[in-house]
Each structure stands twice: as C-alpha cells, then as structure tokens.
Amino acid sequence: MLQPSATVWTIAHPESGGSIVESNERNGLSSAEDLRASRFHFPQDAARYRYFHQRLRRLLADWLPDGGDPASLIFDEGPWGKPQLRDFPGCHFNLTHSGGSAAVVISEAGPLGIDLEQVDATYPCREVAQNYFQGPEITSVVEASSPEQTTERFFRLWTAKEAVMKATGLGMTLEPRQIILGLDPVTMLPTTIDRLDHPVCDAADWKLHFVTAPAGFVLAVVTPAQVSHVGLATDRHCY
C-alpha cells in the first residue's frame, strides 16, 4: 500500500517578461484574483501575483484526474480565509511566494501549509525572535555563534511556524508564540512540532518537513502526520 505523500513545485518569476495582463480572458484568473492584483501598489508585485496564481491553476488542473481548463477552477475560502477548491474537496494545496520565487504543495492526504522565505542577513533576527519565539527557540537564535548561524536558525524557525499557521487554516489567529517547535540538540534547528497552544488544533496531527529551496531561500512544509514523504517536482509550465 502506498504511503501518503505530498509534492512541492518551486517557481521562479520571469522578471524580464513580467508585464501585467489586464484581460481575464487572456490571463485565466478569476475576477477576485484580478481585483486583488490590481490593488498592489507596485506593478512588479501585481505581475508576480498574477504569474504565480496562473501557475497554481495549471498545477492544480494537471493534478486533478480529469485535467481540464485551469481558468474553470473555482476557489472558496475556509473559515479563516484559506483557499480551497469548491468542486474538489479531496485536493489539498497551498501557495507561498517571496520576492521573485514561489512554491506550491499539493496532496490528497489532507490540509497543507507551505512557507518560502528569502533569507535576509540584515533582518533583526534576535529582536523578532525574542518577541515571537519561546524558550529554547529564542536561545537558539540569540546564542548562535555567528551572524550566519543566527540568520539560518531564525529563518528555519520562522518558516516552520508560518507553515504551521497555514496548514491549520488558522492563519494569524494561531500566533507564532503558540507554536512550540522541537529542536535538534546539535544544530538547534527545528525538526518537529511539539505543541500547539490553541484549542482547535493538536501538534500530533501535523508533521514538519524542510524541502530543498532555491539558493538564498528557506522552504518549510507542514503536512498531516501520516504523510511520509514530500517530493520536489519541476513545474514544466514555468518556462
């Protein structure tokens, strides 16, 4: 019997061709997606949003057993705003983007969360950790032996927490400090989800995975606990 799995695609925006397409008929997005894109202040951000959501639609259409037109997919929102497919409740997915890159995870195993973060060596990692992390998580960041180690530990912890927040569907109603991560005793990097201090979710239901990310990024995925493998695929539609 095959073990439950999930698949991740990483996507790079073709910056040189990132012009905004105004027609819904041409870009395949819904009116709601088009409206949200139009609200971005910078044209580059709008172009990235459109491109990544077009790729999401294509990946989902390819994943579904009957294929079909990506533009025909209808998205609804869960109680806290997490997108889901109206007509295919068994197809679970999540999208994340940071800068000019994005990642999508899809599985039939259950709800998913994914977070991609571009590593920023100038980010105030110690200060943010003290405000949003707990106990050993804070220690791992503030007592790191080098600036590089501080940055690595912080972004690993942050992406893991963001992925948990997205997987549960609770978003910011599950605060980062309510997510307690287990750390490897040698590297002090997160490996497990030890506790969720929230009345509607249980840490035992979820599993944390780190997936190979584009250079300069960190990529974390949270799946149902029974998922044994998260594979990395190539989006053949992103050329």
Side-chain angles (χ1 to χ4, degrees), residues 119 125 133-134 136-161 180-194 208-211 217-220:
V119 176
C125 298
F133 294 173
Q134 292 269 31
E137 300 170 351
I138 297 174
T139 302
S140 74
V141 175
V142 301
E143 296 186 2
S145 60
S146 68
E148 293 78 13
Q149 192 176 70
T150 296
T151 301
E152 180 187 16
R153 290 178 177 180
F154 173 83
F155 278 95
R156 285 264 182 163
L157 286 158
W158 188 263
T159 54
K161 288 174 180 276
I180 312 302
L181 300 172
L183 308 181
D184 181 278
V186 176
T187 65
M188 296 299 287
L189 295 174
T191 57
T192 58
I193 304 164
D194 280 4
L208 173 64
H209 313 257
F210 283 96
V211 180
F217 289 82
V218 177
L219 179 56

Side-chain angles (χ1 to χ4, degrees), residues 155-176:
F155 278 95
R156 285 264 182 163
L157 286 158
W158 188 263
T159 54
K161 288 174 180 276
E162 288 269 11
V164 172
M165 293 157 66
K166 296 176 73 176
T168 61
L170 294 170
M172 287 303 297
T173 63
L174 176 63
E175 297 178 2

Side-chain angles (χ1 to χ4, degrees), residues 5-7 82 92-94 105-114 163 166-169 206 221-224 227:
S5 64
T7 304
K82 184 177 182 180
H92 300 274
F93 66 93
N94 203 215
V105 61
I106 306 177
S107 178
E108 297 176 356
L112 303 159
I114 189 169
K166 296 176 73 176
T168 61
W206 305 101
V221 179
V222 170
T223 67
V227 170

Side-chain angles (χ1 to χ4, degrees), residues 52-118:
F52 294 146
H53 280 253
Q54 289 166 352
R55 300 285 71 75
L56 171 64
R57 284 179 170 272
R58 169 51 63 188
L59 287 169
L60 289 170
D62 286 351
W63 181 272
L64 294 169
D66 297 329
D69 179 10
S72 68
L73 297 176
I74 301 173
F75 294 93
D76 288 330
E77 291 186 350
W80 290 277
K82 184 177 182 180
Q84 55 195 26
L85 286 176
R86 176 180 299 178
D87 299 321
F88 302 95
C91 178
H92 300 274
F93 66 93
N94 203 215
L95 166 70
T96 179
H97 53 86
S98 177
S101 294
V104 174
V105 61
I106 306 177
S107 178
E108 297 176 356
L112 303 159
I114 189 169
D115 189 55
L116 177 73
E117 296 288 343
Q118 188 166 17

